Amino acid sequence: PQAWSAYNKSQETEKARFLELLNDIIENPEQEKRGRGQPKINEHDILFASALKVYSQFSLRRFMSDLNEAKEKGFIEKKPCFASVGHFMQKETLALQLKELIQKSASVLKGVETKFSIDSTGFRTKHFSPYCQEKHGDTKQNKFLKLHAVIGCKTNIITACEVTEAEGKGTGDSPFLQPLAIQTANNGFEIKEFSADMAYSSREGLETIHQIGGMAYIPFRSNATGKARGSGQWKKMFHYFQLNQEEFMSHYHARSNVESTFGALKAKFNDCLKSKTTSAQVNELLLKVLCFNIVQVIHETNELGIK
């Protein structure tokens, strides 16, 4: 059941604590100076502003009042203009930095999570994919970006993620299990159970989870066989799946938590990406994930008593 006292406290204090935790998680480098004129805005301030923009869900111009408040409270030294924030969010190199911050935000809960799940979901953009003329009766369809993510089943924290196009080469689900599971383990999480749907069923995936110390609960396709083909874990889990389906599925159903996580992420921060360029859309989606993780940490500090 919902812990309403913890939920209420989290909601009432969320924005103030969000600003504090966002400030803490972003390193504050020394301010760079130009040869002449005004000092350059440091990366902490511009990154803080970008995350706050996504958290507020306001347009670049309308969130300037929130940025004024952040400056008054001492979270940033110099307030960037809305155009600077927009240009910064278009940086292709920003994505790697945001993924590191997402892992850093999740690591707070590494003493809590032992069960994990992976899946993918789509976020629509303001752009439209090619479509036939309206006289043929076809309607416009938004282009989508795809978020691949590993989540903790207890707290819904996102421990590792990747963003791709919705369709095309290299966008399938299965190849992302291994790198995202390994990133989660390398971030200090102890993986005891790992669940996923049939799209992730592969010998390589089961072996990866086994090697990092976990048990993979991934159902087998109807045409799958128990032949090892170099993977003893595949053969073992195939027979376990065939002979103990009820027990297997009781573990597998932890996967429903990843659907809950995606639902909460979209309900909180919208499923639409407002940025215009692809690189900015990718960064905006990663900022949504970072903001979501910080909010989850705020809630778990109240519900689980984590300091």
Side-chain angles (χ1 to χ4, degrees):
Q2 178 69 267
W4 286 109
S5 60
Y7 176 82
N8 293 338
K9 184 178 180 181
S10 299
Q11 294 294 304
E12 291 168 5
T13 62
E14 181 185 289
K15 186 174 181 181
R17 295 203 63 201
F18 176 86
L19 294 174
E20 293 172 0
L21 294 181
L22 176 61
N23 181 60
D24 285 347
I25 202 171
I26 303 173
E27 294 182 5
N28 199 351
E30 293 184 4
Q31 193 173 32
E32 298 178 15
K33 292 186 179 181
R34 299 172 179 171
R36 290 184 180 182
Q38 294 294 323
K40 184 178 179 180
I41 297 173
N42 65 47
E43 191 167 298
H44 169 279
D45 290 356
I46 194 74
L47 183 52
F48 183 98
S50 301
L52 182 58
K53 187 268 177 192
V54 171
Y55 176 80
S56 71
Q57 298 187 65
F58 285 157
S59 67
L60 284 167
R61 292 172 177 84
R62 287 193 295 139
F63 103 103
M64 285 292 109
S65 58
D66 286 326
L67 213 50
N68 286 330
E69 180 185 347
K71 187 176 185 300
E72 290 171 1
K73 293 182 177 179
F75 293 116
I76 57 175
E77 295 179 8
K78 183 177 175 64
K79 187 186 82 170
C81 70
F82 65 86
S84 297
V85 177
H87 290 310
F88 179 76
M89 288 180 65
Q90 295 181 45
K91 289 177 57 178
E92 293 184 1
T93 56
L94 178 58
L96 180 60
Q97 185 178 1
L98 292 176
K99 291 174 192 175
E100 292 173 352
L101 289 175
I102 288 168
Q103 292 183 34
K104 187 176 179 182
S105 65
S107 66
V108 177
L109 300 175
K110 63 186 177 183
V112 177
E113 292 286 6
T114 57
K115 297 181 181 180
F116 301 85
S117 186
I118 187 173
D119 207 346
S120 65
T121 188
F123 284 78
R124 60 189 174 90
T125 71
K126 292 289 188 178
H127 296 168
F128 296 100
S129 56
Y131 61 95
C132 296
Q133 295 179 355
E134 292 186 13
K135 66 179 182 181
H136 295 300
D138 290 347
T139 58
K140 294 181 178 180
Q141 292 184 342
N142 292 85
K143 283 187 176 180
F144 281 77
L145 288 184
K146 197 173 186 181
L147 175 68
H148 306 263
V150 171
I151 66 102
C153 294
K154 182 177 180 63
T155 66
N156 292 345
I157 199 78
I158 296 175
T159 61
C161 64
E162 188 62 66
V163 179
T164 66
E165 297 285 345
E167 298 176 345
K169 186 177 180 180
T171 64
D173 290 346
S174 185
F176 290 93
L177 185 150
Q178 293 170 274
L180 295 182
I182 290 171
Q183 286 177 32
T184 298
N186 290 344
N187 200 20
F189 286 92
E190 181 185 5
I191 298 178
K192 292 184 178 179
E193 293 186 15
F194 198 96
S195 55
D197 61 29
M198 284 186 202
Y200 295 91
S201 181
S202 71
R203 289 172 173 81
E204 295 80 7
L206 263 64
E207 283 297 326
T208 297
I209 301 302
H210 176 65
Q211 288 169 9
I212 57 181
M215 182 78 79
Y217 293 93
I218 306 174
F220 292 81
R221 297 184 178 91
S222 58
N223 61 348
T225 67
K227 294 180 180 179
R229 294 180 184 172
S231 173
Q233 194 64 15
W234 173 273
K235 182 177 180 179
K236 175 182 176 182
M237 292 305 297
F238 178 82
H239 290 296
Y240 175 51
F241 175 71
Q242 295 294 329
L243 300 175
N244 301 277
Q245 278 206 14
E246 185 174 347
E247 182 180 336
F248 182 99
M249 296 306 289
S250 68
H251 291 278
Y252 166 73
H253 283 307
R255 195 199 70 81
S256 62
N257 288 282
V258 75
E259 304 291 351
S260 301
T261 300
F262 290 153
L265 172 60
K266 293 179 179 181
K268 183 78 174 178
F269 297 111
N270 207 320
D271 68 344
C272 180
L273 303 172
K274 301 175 183 179
S275 301
K276 294 181 179 180
T277 66
T278 300
S279 58
Q281 290 164 359
V282 170
N283 291 333
E284 182 184 349
L285 179 46
L286 291 172
L287 283 166
K288 285 179 185 284
V289 174
L290 176 62
C291 292
F292 176 80
N293 270 8
I294 294 175
V295 170
Q296 291 305 108
V297 168
I298 292 169
H299 180 79
E300 296 306 325
T301 56
N302 292 318
E303 182 165 344
L304 302 178
I306 297 171
K307 296 183 180 179

